[in-house]
Amino acid sequence: MKRKNRWVLLGLVPFVVMVALFQLVPIVSMITGSVRPEDGTGITLEYFARIFQSDYYLKAIQNSLLISVFSSLIGIIVGLACAYAVTRLTPRMRDRLIMVSNMTSNFAGVPLAFAYIILLGSNGVFTLLFKQWGWDVFAGFNLYSWSGLVLVYVYFQVPLALLLLYPSFYGIREQWKEAASLLGASQWQFWRTIGIPVLMPAVFGTLGILFANSMGAYATAYALVGSNFNLLAVRIGNLVSGDVVTEPQLGNALAVILGLSTLLAVYLNHKMTQRLHRFHPGSAEERKVRRRRRGLKLKPPALKEEL
């Protein structure tokens, strides 16, 4: 048995090495690089001070946060409706739509930006076609602006939200709907009191993933707007591999702020999910409450025997 355990531990060595090389080492290098001065001796917080004293970098942080929040909220709302619609379809049609959603959620980066430029750019297909037809659908729309970036981000946020949310709808049992209907509850009352509370842990968890996904998006934004729009991920790329001036230490400091903001959002969503899970059926908190109740029921006989 011990020999078998040794072979199992030996099989984990490649996984541990991969995690160390591709996750731990870059994180440690980023953190140490953000506090290492140019001469390489000692520790300094000069780069963080420059960031928080510069309106330019603060604007980049603000723009990234706003785009991430708006694209995540739109993605979660549309994805929630699409996930519910998918569960109403036949299994064959559902599997096809899930396959398409899986493909579109991974269609991001430079190809996605070029696709939108061809379709909705200044000389895009739909832009020129609608203009020729006399339709002012895209008259006030600019793909290379804040609204254009949100639209492009929503493209890969919605299918990702759909993939993460649709399994949670199968956790709502049909017996619950039948029981609510027999008790005289309407569809709105059922979803308000039972359906939505059951879905909220999955919704908050998905929202955190969407926020992290949009905060770290670099290739799509860079291919679409380049350096014309001030985004945190674009600023980091310019500082690390810029054509004119490179400041990798300052880029590392911005990357640390980007990572901390993403971790904070995921942590808050995780805490909200824990609070919502606390009193759900079968949760650990509910089991504790049941044990306490059983313990209280056993106390009176024990007191009588002592008396």
Side-chain angles (χ1 to χ4, degrees):
M1 191 68 181
K2 292 182 178 180
R3 185 177 298 178
K4 184 178 179 180
N5 293 334
R6 291 175 183 176
W7 281 110
V8 171
L9 293 176
L10 186 62
L12 291 175
V13 172
F15 174 74
V16 174
V17 172
M18 183 186 68
V19 171
L21 291 178
F22 294 98
Q23 294 189 13
L24 297 180
V25 172
I27 291 175
V28 172
S29 176
M30 177 186 68
I31 295 174
T32 56
S34 64
V35 295
R36 185 187 301 122
E38 294 183 0
D39 55 7
T41 59
I43 296 176
T44 181
L45 297 177
E46 173 190 357
Y47 304 108
F48 291 98
R50 285 177 57 185
I51 292 171
F52 290 107
Q53 292 174 0
S54 172
D55 295 335
Y56 183 67
Y57 293 120
L58 290 177
K59 188 65 177 179
I61 297 172
Q62 179 184 353
N63 289 337
S64 296
L65 290 174
L66 288 176
I67 289 179
S68 299
V69 169
F70 275 90
S71 63
S72 300
L73 290 176
I74 297 173
I76 201 73
I77 293 172
V78 179
L80 196 62
C82 293
Y84 175 75
V86 165
T87 58
R88 303 292 95 186
L89 300 175
T90 60
R92 185 177 181 180
M93 184 62 68
R94 180 197 61 201
D95 294 340
R96 290 180 179 179
L97 287 176
I98 293 301
M99 181 184 66
V100 173
S101 299
N102 193 11
M103 294 173 57
T104 53
S105 65
N106 291 288
F107 184 70
V110 178
L112 177 62
F114 283 163
Y116 266 89
I117 291 173
I118 293 171
L119 295 176
L120 299 176
S122 302
N123 295 314
V125 175
F126 289 124
T127 304
L128 296 178
L129 187 63
F130 290 161
K131 185 177 180 180
Q132 185 177 0
W133 289 349
W135 297 355
D136 295 332
V137 179
F138 300 105
F141 176 74
N142 183 13
L143 181 63
Y144 314 104
S145 64
W146 187 87
S147 58
L149 277 174
V150 172
L151 177 64
V152 176
Y153 277 36
V154 167
Y155 178 86
F156 57 80
Q157 295 280 57
V158 170
L160 180 59
L162 173 92
L163 292 173
L164 295 175
L165 287 174
Y166 90 92
S168 60
F169 279 94
Y170 290 102
I172 301 175
R173 302 175 183 176
E174 292 295 330
Q175 293 86 341
W176 298 349
K177 297 180 181 180
E178 295 173 0
S181 178
L182 290 174
L183 293 173
S186 62
Q187 286 288 336
W188 165 245
Q189 289 174 329
F190 169 79
W191 283 106
R192 182 173 57 86
T193 57
I194 299 175
I196 294 177
V198 170
L199 293 174
M200 288 311 292
V203 170
F204 277 105
T206 303
L207 188 62
I209 295 174
L210 295 182
F211 180 84
N213 188 38
S214 57
M215 280 292 291
Y218 167 73
T220 303
Y222 186 77
L224 188 64
V225 297
S227 299
N228 297 326
F229 197 82
N230 196 7
L231 287 176
L232 187 56
V234 176
R235 295 282 77 79
I236 294 172
N238 291 340
L239 289 171
V240 174
S241 59
D243 296 332
V244 180
V245 179
T246 60
E247 291 185 89
Q249 292 88 354
L250 187 59
N252 287 328
L254 286 173
V256 170
I257 295 174
L258 174 62
L260 289 177
S261 62
T262 304
L263 287 176
L264 179 61
V266 173
Y267 173 76
L268 292 176
N269 282 311
H270 176 67
K271 297 302 290 185
M272 289 295 296
T273 304
Q274 280 187 334
R275 291 188 60 183
L276 292 168
H277 266 307
R278 185 170 296 174
F279 292 103
H280 275 207
S283 63
E285 189 69 23
E286 186 183 2
R287 289 195 294 269
K288 291 180 182 178
V289 172
R290 290 178 179 176
R291 293 194 195 102
R292 291 172 185 170
R293 289 175 180 173
R294 286 197 294 267
L296 290 174
K297 291 178 181 179
L298 293 175
K299 282 182 180 179
L303 290 173
K304 288 181 180 179
E305 290 177 3
E306 291 177 1
L307 291 174

